[in-house]
Amino acid sequence: MLSIFLCGFRKNRSAQHCLVHMIEKMRKCLDKHGQTGVLLTDLSKAFDCLDHDLLIAKLSAYGFDHTSLKLIYSYLDGRYQRTQINSNYSSWARLIFGVPQGSILGPLLFNIYLSDLFISCKSSSIANFADDNSPYSCNKDIDSVILQLKRDSNSLLEWFSINGFKANPEKFHLILSNPDQNLFIEIDGHKILNKKSEKLLGIKFDSKLNFDIHVSELCSKASQKLHALSRIANYMRIKQRKNIMKSFINSQFGYCPLVWMLHSRNLILALIKSMKKVFVSSTMTELPRLMNFFLKINLFLSILEISNF
């Protein structure tokens, strides 16, 4: 029932899974001297836009029986909300859209509602994670890529409109493998210009897929936080330093590493430099772990040299 391309709120379907799948398809195309492009879309309050009646109709189409449909509708129906401004309250209004956020069932219902989205794109694929939907295309020339993205983006806008979502074309972003910034796609009267880099699911993408900008930003943020921590490190225990490192610094390097880590020898060398500072600042007594870390990095470098050869 759920599309295999739905990556949000599902076991073994993380943001990293979504991005790696897209990047590998793009890299295979670029290796064959083709062209690629991705359009980053934007939706307003997607979870609050689910039409209850349309959701029930989709569940019925997917084979839910009458008793199950009544149970789910009773879960959604009968909810009210009002607005408070200072000490003034509006009258209560019945909710006929949206799923309860923070609930267990809400994300599943959202995925079911979104599952037929992928049928609307005939030529492009979609990188999906929750309410982030980015159509991308791989073809032999840039004109074909732009044509496919334009055609499928119009189909996406139509699907969004039919299903009650509000898209914001003025906030869309376009990244093409061709660096020409005069290239663009016109969507719903908005001219979407080609950009060198843009952030998708927390990762800074660039037209060359080398992630230099992303890693540079990671190292810069880590350096700033380490500088701030170094001023108070002498007043803290080693365990406290390690907890801060894990929470504020290591967590950044641990987000989607398969997407950006092994694309360049220079990037790994920059990471080694930053991570060395992390280890030294957190504790001077964990030399074995530090050596093990650098042995793994050297292994990665060797693999890169072999693959580049």
Side-chain angles (χ1 to χ4, degrees), residues 3 5-6 114-122 126-128 133:
S3 170
F5 301 110
L6 274 170
L114 206 67
S115 192
D116 61 303
L117 165 71
F118 301 91
I119 304 174
S120 63
C121 284
K122 304 298 183 181
I126 298 180
N128 163 271
N133 302 282

Side-chain angles (χ1 to χ4, degrees), residues 49-111:
C49 295
L50 270 69
D51 187 317
H52 294 172
D53 293 333
L54 183 55
L55 174 60
I56 296 299
K58 289 187 178 187
L59 291 172
S60 177
Y62 288 140
F64 282 65
D65 59 31
H66 184 67
T67 303
S68 300
L69 295 176
K70 286 181 64 178
L71 178 64
I72 294 174
Y73 191 77
S74 68
Y75 171 75
L76 297 171
D77 193 32
R79 298 178 184 271
Y80 293 82
Q81 70 175 15
R82 64 178 178 176
T83 302
Q84 177 186 2
I85 301 178
N86 297 326
S87 58
N88 300 314
Y89 293 87
S90 67
S91 57
W92 289 100
R94 179 169 168 262
L95 292 176
I96 58 174
F97 295 96
V99 292
Q101 296 192 41
S103 64
I104 295 175
L105 192 57
L108 177 59
L109 294 176
F110 181 82
N111 276 346

Side-chain angles (χ1 to χ4, degrees), residues 137 139-151:
S137 175
N139 214 309
K140 59 183 179 179
D141 59 78
I142 198 64
D143 291 333
S144 298
V145 170
I146 292 175
L147 181 62
Q148 288 179 345
L149 287 177
K150 183 176 181 180
R151 181 167 55 240

Side-chain angles (χ1 to χ4, degrees), residues 140-184:
K140 59 183 179 179
D141 59 78
I142 198 64
D143 291 333
S144 298
V145 170
I146 292 175
L147 181 62
Q148 288 179 345
L149 287 177
K150 183 176 181 180
R151 181 167 55 240
D152 285 340
S153 63
N154 287 329
S155 298
L156 273 180
L157 286 179
E158 183 180 0
W159 188 93
F160 289 150
S161 177
I162 292 172
N163 287 269
F165 290 111
K166 177 175 172 49
N168 301 306
E170 67 275 8
K171 296 183 180 180
F172 287 9
H173 300 288
L174 175 67
I175 303 177
L176 301 172
S177 55
N178 189 316
D180 186 359
Q181 292 188 313
N182 293 319
L183 297 172
F184 67 93

